[in-house]
């Protein structure tokens, strides 16, 4: 009896059927990757937040499937753009449609930041939990790793809803020990709540929320036991250019 296909193998077969690319190429596109969301899910589970971990892994699976379809379209384009452009356009559209279908089946709107928003929801839960622990550095580090080094991108993501309303209001009532890790984690969670509450209105609000997300990343770095904004050149630039180098201590 043949072995049951893994998720990656099944997706690779689907991509091969649409694109005609060699199966080995399709399978390589579908190779599992333990990215920042997977690491965050692992730490959430270890901290007793199993439901949040399961939810995050499901979101990651959907986002990965969609991005893999897009990558397959790109791979086909790279190979055949100069020899059969009409076929390239056909395959690219088919792959884009498949990516949208994957998102749609899971209830996500296409052309949105909903999957990223739900990853940020999980990061907020991790920081909130770390704020109740004497040493939640692993949780804080896992949350920190999902934030991009692009404050304006983070601004858009944190203010997006995901598939259903998510409340950051629990940040206001956070309490915990007075260890540097816990205090910094609570500051990061409260800053996320402030950023999420900024309206989508114009550039002023966009940059306001971006600045708050720099604060989030700063405090999350402290909670993780790392130098603040280490390796985050864009965050450092935003801090200097738009925030006068000042991090709010709340």
């Amino acid at each position: 009896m043949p072995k049951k296909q893994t998720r990656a193998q099944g997706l690779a077969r689907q991509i091969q059927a649409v694109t005609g690319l060699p199966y080995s190429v399709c399978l390589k596109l579908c190779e599992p990757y333990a990215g920042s969301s997977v690491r965050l899910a692992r730490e959430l589970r270890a901290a007793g937040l199993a439901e949040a971990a399961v939810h995050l892994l499901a979101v990651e699976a959907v986002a990965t499937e969609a991005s893999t379809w897009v990558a397959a379209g790109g791979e086909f384009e790279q190979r055949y753009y100069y020899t059969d452009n009409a076929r390239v356009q056909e395959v690219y559209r088919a792959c884009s449609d498949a990516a949208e279908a994957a998102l749609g089946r899971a209830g996500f709107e296409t052309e949105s930041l909903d999957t990223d928003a739900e990853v940020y929801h999980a990061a907020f839960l991790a920081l909130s939990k770390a704020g109740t622990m004497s040493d939640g550095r692993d949780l804080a580090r896992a949350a920190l790793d999902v934030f991009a080094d692009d404050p304006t991108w983070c601004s858009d993501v944190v203010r997006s809803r995901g598939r259903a309303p998510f409340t950051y209001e629990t940040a206001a009532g956070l309490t915990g020990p007075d260890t540097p890790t816990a205090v910094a984690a609570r500051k990061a969670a409260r800053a996320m709540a402030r950023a999420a509450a900024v309206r989508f209105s114009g550039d002023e609000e966009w940059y306001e929320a971006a600045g708050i997300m720099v604060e989030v990343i700063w405090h999350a770095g402290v909670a993780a036991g790392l130098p603040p904004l280490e390796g985050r050149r864009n965050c450092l630039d935003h801090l200097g250019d738009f925030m006068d180098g000042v991090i709010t201590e709340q």
Side-chain angles (χ1 to χ4, degrees):
M1 177 179 291
K3 294 182 179 179
K4 183 179 179 181
Q5 288 191 118
T6 65
R7 184 185 184 94
Q9 289 170 333
L11 180 57
R13 291 296 184 195
Q14 294 177 47
I15 291 173
Q16 184 185 33
V18 170
T19 64
L21 290 169
Y23 176 68
S24 59
V25 172
C26 298
L27 188 59
K28 187 171 181 59
L29 290 170
C30 300
E31 285 180 349
Y33 170 66
S36 56
S37 292
V38 175
R39 293 191 294 272
L40 176 55
R42 187 184 306 128
E43 293 300 332
L44 287 168
R45 189 182 298 277
L49 300 173
E51 184 177 350
V54 169
H55 180 88
L56 178 57
L57 288 175
V59 172
E60 175 67 10
V62 172
T64 297
E65 180 178 349
S67 63
T68 302
W69 275 109
V70 173
E75 177 70 23
F76 192 92
E77 181 179 33
Q78 183 178 358
R79 286 170 174 251
Y80 301 111
Y81 182 81
Y82 293 107
T83 58
D84 192 350
N85 189 48
R87 175 63 177 155
V88 165
Q89 298 305 315
E90 178 185 348
V91 169
Y92 198 89
R93 282 194 299 270
C95 289
S96 296
D97 289 345
E100 291 187 3
L103 292 167
R105 285 193 300 271
F108 289 109
E109 293 184 10
T110 58
E111 305 298 328
S112 75
L113 297 173
D114 287 346
T115 55
D116 300 283
E118 293 195 14
V119 173
Y120 277 33
H121 297 167
F124 170 77
L125 294 175
L127 290 168
S128 297
K129 181 67 175 180
T132 70
M133 303 164 62
S134 295
D135 186 359
R137 282 178 291 181
D138 289 342
L139 261 178
R141 178 59 186 267
L144 174 66
D145 286 347
V146 305
F147 300 131
D149 181 26
D150 183 344
T152 52
W153 167 264
C154 294
S155 169
D156 286 336
V157 173
V158 77
R159 292 182 293 155
S160 299
R161 288 177 30 151
R163 289 169 292 185
F166 179 86
T167 179
Y168 285 91
E169 294 176 0
T170 54
L174 284 176
T175 59
D178 290 331
T179 61
T181 293
V183 170
R186 293 196 298 271
K187 287 180 179 179
R190 290 173 185 144
M192 282 194 81
R194 287 191 287 116
V198 176
R199 297 177 303 162
F200 276 103
S201 180
D203 285 352
E204 184 175 345
E205 288 77 16
W206 188 35
Y207 281 99
E208 177 187 357
I212 300 172
M213 284 305 300
V214 172
E215 296 177 19
V216 172
I217 294 168
W218 176 289
H219 293 308
V222 173
L226 300 172
L229 304 185
E230 180 182 44
R232 293 177 178 267
R233 170 49 55 191
N234 291 322
C235 286
L236 285 166
D237 287 346
H238 193 94
L239 177 64
D241 295 341
F242 298 101
M243 302 168 64
D244 298 323
V246 176
I247 292 293
T248 303
E249 294 291 332
Q250 293 191 13

